[in-house]
Amino acid sequence: MNTDHPDLIHYKKLMHDLQIKLVHLQSHIIRNELQLLIIFEGRDSAGKDGAIKRITEHLSPRDIRVVALNKPTERDKNSWYFQRYTDYLPSRGEMVLFNRSWYNRAGVEPVMGFCTEHEYQRFLHTVPTFEQMLMESGIQIVKYYLDISKPEQHKRLEDRRTNPLKQWKISPIDQLAQDQWDDYSKARDEMLSRTHTDKTPWYIVNANNKKRARLNIIRHLLQVIHVDQTQENNGHTLQQVDSSIVFPFSESHLTDGTLYS
């Protein structure tokens, strides 16, 4: 007997249908030798892990990779900044998901003092060119910024501290996430403003509701890759993305209250 709440049953059914389409998406990528890079950024506890898990959990592990790098080594620090990431870029027929990426230099690093002002400014100046080079080489880049409110982050960080199954997520930086909320907001706004381009746009995800965020990220991903699934849809129609949950960044969002401050 299924004792799940009706809302949870509905969520599981929607997710199941979307994950079937993700299998078709992966087949499309393999068949056409595409290279897909998906970048997930956002505040601590914004839901990046959960979104990535739902995307990858039924896909072929041979043709998809999740990249979540540890702190840089001394060699990394003495190398070209992007060098430590280039080994992880997708090859033909492959999807790669970055759980945080080179955008650490636009968020955590300047806020925590892990890079100099010159390094920070140089990154913001050069990253659009770097991403354009990747696009011109055949790598399609999709960038998501998961945005949550300060009270929601507080609730999720508290859950990490008390839930024994989430202890691995706790880091020293988490402890400062709330104290330095305004600094992270300023860094977020600067990053979005200076690295959002026509070819590699940022998509904002209102992630205060995890389940709605996950469903709409997958719907959006299926749309932006332009997969023709008419032959493989098994009768399932792809629902439209909720534009209040996932939407392209605009400069107006910095002042109109769309982003959590």
Side-chain angles (χ1 to χ4, degrees):
M1 180 178 177
N2 193 333
T3 59
D4 287 342
H5 189 280
D7 288 346
L8 182 57
I9 295 173
H10 183 59
Y11 165 75
K12 288 182 175 179
K13 174 65 168 59
L14 292 174
M15 182 60 71
H16 176 264
D17 291 349
L18 287 170
Q19 288 176 327
I20 290 174
K21 293 182 181 296
L22 284 172
V23 172
H24 299 156
L25 170 63
Q26 187 178 44
S27 297
H28 172 81
I29 289 171
I30 295 170
R31 186 167 58 248
N32 292 281
E33 296 188 330
L34 304 180
Q35 296 166 270
L36 177 60
L37 174 63
I38 309 171
I39 291 175
F40 285 90
E41 292 290 342
R43 299 180 191 267
D44 292 318
S45 76
K48 298 179 289 297
D49 292 327
I52 290 170
K53 177 182 178 182
R54 271 65 183 188
I55 291 171
T56 61
E57 65 182 334
H58 296 295
L59 300 184
S60 166
R62 292 186 299 275
D63 303 290
I64 190 168
R65 287 182 290 118
V66 176
V67 178
L69 299 184
N70 290 319
K71 65 181 181 180
T73 64
E74 282 304 311
R75 183 177 186 278
D76 293 330
K77 293 176 182 178
N78 292 316
S79 302
W80 177 49
Y81 177 70
F82 295 105
Q83 188 167 323
R84 69 188 301 242
Y85 296 98
T86 55
D87 283 346
Y88 300 96
L89 294 172
S91 60
R92 290 176 183 171
E94 190 176 38
M95 297 171 60
V96 172
L97 295 86
F98 274 15
N99 186 346
R100 295 197 184 278
S101 65
W102 43 77
Y103 282 103
N104 277 335
R105 179 135 295 179
V108 172
E109 290 191 19
V111 171
M112 298 301 298
F114 296 157
C115 68
T116 67
E117 179 66 17
H118 174 70
E119 289 171 332
Y120 169 61
Q121 293 297 333
R122 183 170 60 186
F123 170 81
L124 292 175
H125 176 70
T126 58
V127 69
T129 302
F130 173 70
E131 291 178 351
Q132 182 176 340
M133 290 171 59
L134 297 183
M135 293 284 286
E136 290 174 353
S137 74
I139 298 175
Q140 182 168 358
I141 303 172
V142 184
K143 302 189 296 189
Y144 293 110
Y145 184 88
L146 278 61
D147 198 39
I148 57 173
S149 67
K150 189 173 184 180
E152 180 64 21
Q153 186 191 55
H154 176 75
K155 182 175 74 172
R156 294 182 188 183
L157 291 175
E158 283 299 311
D159 182 52
R160 283 186 184 180
R161 296 187 188 102
T162 59
N163 188 333
L165 296 178
K166 296 182 179 181
Q167 295 295 299
W168 62 272
K169 291 189 173 187
I170 298 174
S171 74
I173 293 177
D174 287 352
Q175 312 304 318
L176 300 173
Q178 291 268 291
D179 293 342
Q180 297 188 280
W181 177 270
D182 292 343
D183 293 331
Y184 276 111
S185 294
K186 182 179 178 181
R188 172 202 63 193
D189 294 353
E190 188 75 0
M191 178 190 77
L192 294 173
S193 178
R194 294 181 59 181
T195 65
H196 172 82
T197 70
D198 290 339
K199 293 194 175 175
T200 57
W202 278 105
Y203 295 101
I204 308 301
V205 182
N206 184 327
N208 257 21
N209 183 306
K210 290 182 179 181
K211 291 185 175 63
R212 292 180 67 190
R214 293 166 186 165
L215 292 171
N216 282 281
I217 287 171
I218 296 174
R219 288 172 186 148
H220 182 267
L221 182 62
L222 291 167
Q223 288 188 3
V224 297
I225 306 304
H226 304 301
V227 181
D228 181 7
Q229 302 201 35
T230 55
Q231 312 243 338
E232 301 175 310
N233 62 15
N234 291 336
H236 302 305
T237 301
L238 180 62
Q239 293 187 355
Q240 290 298 308
V241 179
D242 185 336
S243 60
S244 70
I245 302 296
V246 180
F247 47 90
F249 169 73
S250 167
E251 285 285 336
S252 64
H253 296 151
L254 301 178
T255 55
D256 66 6
T258 300
L259 298 174
Y260 291 109
S261 58

